[in-house]
Amino acid sequence: MTAGARRHPRRTDADQGTWTGVALRLAAVAALVAAWQVGTLLAADPVFWPTAEVIAVRLWEMWIANPTAWVEDGMPSLARLLGGWLAAALAGVAIGTAVGLLPWLSHVLEPVMAFLRSIPPPALLPPFIVLLGIGDGMKVALILFGAVWPVVLNAADGVANVDPTTRDAARAFRLSIADILTRVVLPAAAPRILAGLRVSLSIAVILMVISELYAATDGIGFRLVQAQRGFRTVDVWATVVLLGLIGYALNGLLAVLEARLLRGQRARTGGTR
């Protein structure tokens, strides 16, 4: 390979596809911001519809460049969010695995799970406050209750659809139940489990905000409702944008983790993403 070739390596089709995807995503974001900017400039009441520029400046002042806001409100919210979501992930994988492996258990628990997941989690906020108080435990419990069901359903479906031949082969090699679960069943069900985790993460963000709208003294949701009550419209929009950025960042991190965990499986099956 010549020195010139080393300085200017040829781009592969995958590289070109990656750069095209990035460019299209940036163009979509730019189009959304531009549409908001134009629409708000034409709005009859700019007080309730601030421009994207005004929102961005307030977002920087209120949150990004304000360490105090993160310490007092941002970090408590993230701690509740991650605590509730991780608890939902562990409980959901455990329950879903048991239901997927044991058809009789699925038959027994189906009415109970159908009833519980039909209850809107915000409707449980008053009884949760009565039972658990207004502390972090109530907020984590509400996030756990609402975020656990996508994980349960996806884990159960993924485990139930593991190739029976693979299970039989594991038993033929006299693997222990723990080895069969950790080396055969859960890896095979991992794509469905991770899909459930991504859905549950979005639900967890929503429930984190809802749990902080009432009977709270700190948190991003608390600051949001305080801004609304004080008619600080720009602060409201800045906080809404912050929540969107938090959700996007967390989903991006989970997508990276998913790609790394499934890289070996996709390589074996010849799949790409």
Side-chain angles (χ1 to χ4, degrees), residues 6-224:
R6 284 195 297 269
R7 287 194 300 268
H8 303 287
R10 185 176 60 183
R11 292 182 179 177
T12 64
D13 292 341
D15 294 332
Q16 293 174 356
T18 300
W19 284 110
T20 301
V22 171
L24 289 175
R25 291 185 178 186
L26 292 177
V29 173
L32 176 62
V33 174
W36 181 273
Q37 185 75 9
V38 173
T40 51
L41 286 174
L42 298 176
D45 193 346
V47 174
F48 295 101
W49 297 99
T51 64
E53 179 183 0
V54 172
I55 295 174
V57 171
R58 187 54 184 155
L59 173 65
W60 176 267
E61 296 173 346
M62 185 178 178
W63 291 106
I64 298 177
N66 188 357
T68 303
W70 278 108
V71 172
E72 294 180 352
D73 298 301
M75 298 308 296
S77 290
L78 291 178
R80 295 160 188 154
L81 166 63
L82 294 177
W85 178 71
L86 290 175
L90 294 175
V93 171
I95 297 172
T97 301
V99 170
L101 287 175
L102 304 173
W104 65 267
L105 184 61
S106 174
H107 180 73
V108 170
L109 294 183
E110 174 59 28
V112 176
M113 293 194 300
F115 172 77
L116 291 177
R117 70 172 182 264
S118 299
I119 301 175
L124 292 175
L125 189 57
F128 273 29
I129 292 175
V130 173
L131 295 174
L132 302 174
I134 61 173
D136 290 344
M138 178 274 294
K139 299 173 177 62
V140 171
L142 186 68
I143 295 170
L144 165 62
F145 179 85
V148 72
W149 302 114
V151 186
V152 170
L153 296 177
N154 279 272
D157 185 66
V159 170
N161 286 283
V162 174
D163 187 0
T165 305
T166 306
R167 296 186 192 177
D168 294 339
R171 295 191 188 98
F173 283 103
R174 297 183 179 179
L175 295 179
S176 65
I177 296 178
D179 286 336
I180 293 175
L181 284 176
T182 58
R183 300 173 61 180
V184 177
V185 174
L186 291 179
R192 295 303 306 270
I193 294 174
L194 289 168
L197 289 175
R198 294 185 72 173
V199 175
S200 70
L201 182 58
S202 300
I203 296 174
V205 174
I206 296 171
L207 293 177
M208 179 268 290
V209 177
I210 292 175
S211 68
E212 294 175 346
L213 291 179
Y214 306 97
T217 58
D218 59 12
I220 298 175
F222 172 73
R223 292 301 171 191
L224 178 64

Side-chain angles (χ1 to χ4, degrees), residues 234-253:
V234 179
D235 289 4
V236 171
W237 284 111
T239 306
V240 169
V241 172
L242 174 71
L243 290 169
L245 293 176
I246 290 175
Y248 180 82
L250 291 176
N251 274 283
L253 292 174

